[in-house]
Amino acid sequence: GAVVSQHPSWVICKSGTSVKIECRSLDFQATTMFWYRQFPKQSLMLMATSNEGSKATYEQGVEKDKFLINHASLTLSTLTVTSAHPEDSSFYICSAEGRGKETQYFGPGTRLLVL
Amino acid sequence: AQSVAQPEDQVNVAEGNPLTVKCTYSVSGNPYLFWYVQYPNRGLQFLLKYITGDNLVKGSYGFEAEFNKSQTSFHLKKPSALVSDSALYFCAVRAYNTDKLIFGTGTRLQVFP
């Protein structure tokens, strides 16, 4: 149980384009989903927290117009990197938390490369 | 301020030997403590957690961790390491009544045959 998927697993795009990453909880309802960014050989940096049906809460320093988050249902959240630039290249990981709110379960990650 | 420290960037262990990956924390109130493992180019896999109760927590793949309130530590242990345990291990803490996890910097475990 507690499986979280992400799609795509990797994406290469041109500078200036937008990229959408999906995060799904496959066998539980995720009342809260989280989006993280991880740089090589570094820890995870929380970007934003989203609750189903409400606006995401962004961490300090994260541009909400740059990283659009939508949590449309209890099993799906999306992160859209708008007008991507090479500095947005990174490993993006989502996690999901159920109604018990005790444990975050993580997706396998999406590697984004912006050329 | 809440924080998690993993003092070792890397831990090297011979296969079959016991392993310990250290974690200390600083948080207000009673902590929720977690260990996750990350294999190359993958997300994090949940290993175990401490919320309340017995200080010794048993988790996946034979791992266990001991919560020590006086030392504010939550070290990860395994009696007999396997080469397949080689990965990046993250300790995380969540303060009571918040959703956010605070992660340590990670410890790379290398198990040699």
Side-chain angles (χ1 to χ4, degrees), chain A residues 58 62-68 79-85 87-88:
Chain A
Y58 290 82
V62 178
E63 299 175 59
K64 62 181 181 181
D65 295 331
K66 172 78 170 173
F67 299 99
L68 300 178
L79 167 68
T80 301
V81 183
T82 62
S83 186
H85 291 286
E87 58 265 30
D88 299 324

Side-chain angles (χ1 to χ4, degrees), chain A residues 12-13 15 18-19 21-22 33 35-36 40 52-53 57 63 71-73 82-83 87-89 91 96 113:
Chain A
I12 302 173
C13 69
S15 186
S18 294
V19 174
I21 302 170
E22 291 186 349
M33 285 184 165
W35 287 95
Y36 295 84
E52 186 262 340
T57 302
E63 299 175 59
H71 192 161
S73 75
T82 62
S83 186
E87 58 265 30
D88 299 324
S89 299
F91 193 51
L113 177 61

Side-chain angles (χ1 to χ4, degrees), chain B residues 48-109:
Chain B
L48 50 80
K49 66 182 176 186
Y50 172 82
I51 304 296
T52 186
D54 196 348
N55 289 345
L56 184 63
V57 179
K58 293 187 183 297
S60 306
Y61 312 119
F63 284 94
E64 59 188 29
E66 186 166 11
F67 170 62
N68 188 317
K69 188 173 184 178
S70 62
Q71 296 185 5
T72 62
S73 67
F74 190 56
H75 301 331
L76 181 71
K77 300 181 180 185
K78 187 173 182 180
S80 179
L82 299 172
V83 173
S84 58
D85 293 330
S86 300
L88 186 58
Y89 290 79
F90 288 100
C91 180
V93 66
R94 192 174 86 185
Y96 176 74
N97 214 27
T98 72
D99 282 340
K100 299 178 187 179
L101 284 178
I102 308 297
F103 283 90
T105 49
T107 298
R108 185 163 301 282
L109 173 65

Side-chain angles (χ1 to χ4, degrees), chain A residues 32 34 36 38 42-44 46 49 51 59 91 93 97 101-109 111, chain B residues 32 34 36 38 41-46 49 51 88 90 94 98-101 103-106 108:
Chain A
T32 306
F34 305 82
Y36 295 84
Q38 186 180 31
Q42 293 191 26
S43 188
L44 280 72
L46 179 64
T49 303
N51 292 293
E59 295 300 298
F91 193 51
I93 308 176
E97 190 176 74
K101 289 191 172 295
E102 282 192 355
T103 304
Q104 288 184 31
Y105 294 95
F106 286 78
R111 186 161 300 282
Chain B
Y32 288 14
F34 302 82
Y36 289 88
Q38 185 179 32
N41 297 308
R42 301 300 305 275
L44 275 64
Q45 293 181 30
F46 169 72
K49 66 182 176 186
I51 304 296
L88 186 58
F90 288 100
R94 192 174 86 185
T98 72
D99 282 340
K100 299 178 187 179
L101 284 178
F103 283 90
T105 49
R108 185 163 301 282

